[in-house]
Amino acid sequence: MAQRFFDHGDNGHFMDDYGDVDLRAITWTLETIPAAAFPTMPTGESDAGCIESYAADPVYWGKVRPPEVGRHWEEHGTWLRPPLLIDRRLLDPADSGLQVLEGRTRLGVLCGRLREQLRVAPHHQAWVGRS
């Protein structure tokens, strides 16, 4: 699972936000999180606002992905592949809560579906990195 992170090394925005964090030293656990927790979850500073841009048209973003992605949203009200979240204390010890590390499109679709009252499961799985 951790290998998935390391393909972001050539993404400048990702490196600006997380280049100082050793993602391999973090313990990753698949957790179940209430849908209501996601709309207020921040992302990295360089990606501020991108979740909202995906949320503006959640049906479109479900359709431009492989067909099984859109089907999964319609049938199960959740994403096909869990996003990656990080405990904000790993970024700033004075902070708390979770932050979107990877999966901004998925979270945008979820937020848009919630707002448009489309089918959304009450809980969603996500990989959460903690110390």
Side-chain angles (χ1 to χ4, degrees):
M1 195 281 306
Q3 183 61 37
R4 182 176 350 171
F5 307 118
F6 305 117
D7 65 354
H8 285 77
D10 62 348
N11 181 318
H13 292 298
F14 186 87
M15 294 307 293
D16 288 344
D17 292 337
Y18 307 107
D20 295 339
V21 179
D22 183 358
L23 299 173
R24 292 170 287 213
I26 296 172
T27 300
W28 296 94
T29 307
L30 191 59
E31 297 184 15
T32 301
I33 299 171
F38 289 99
T40 59
M41 223 174 264
T43 187
E45 288 182 30
S46 64
D47 287 327
C50 74
I51 290 176
E52 183 54 39
S53 68
Y54 297 124
D57 196 350
V59 174
Y60 168 80
W61 289 105
K63 287 181 179 178
V64 298
R65 302 295 189 212
E68 61 270 16
V69 172
R71 264 194 316 273
H72 203 267
W73 275 109
E74 294 305 319
E75 293 172 10
H76 303 284
T78 191
W79 36 68
L80 187 60
R81 183 174 57 120
L84 306 173
L85 311 177
I86 192 167
D87 185 330
R88 291 179 56 89
R89 288 176 292 191
L90 294 171
L91 307 171
D92 178 355
D95 215 340
S96 64
L98 297 174
Q99 179 166 315
V100 181
L101 180 71
E102 185 272 337
R104 295 171 304 280
T105 306
R106 281 165 268 169
L107 265 74
V109 169
L110 172 65
C111 292
R113 291 179 70 87
L114 283 167
R115 186 171 40 230
E116 293 183 18
Q117 298 181 343
L118 299 172
R119 181 182 175 131
V120 174
H123 295 86
H124 304 268
Q125 289 197 316
W127 287 103
V128 179
R130 301 184 189 277
S131 58

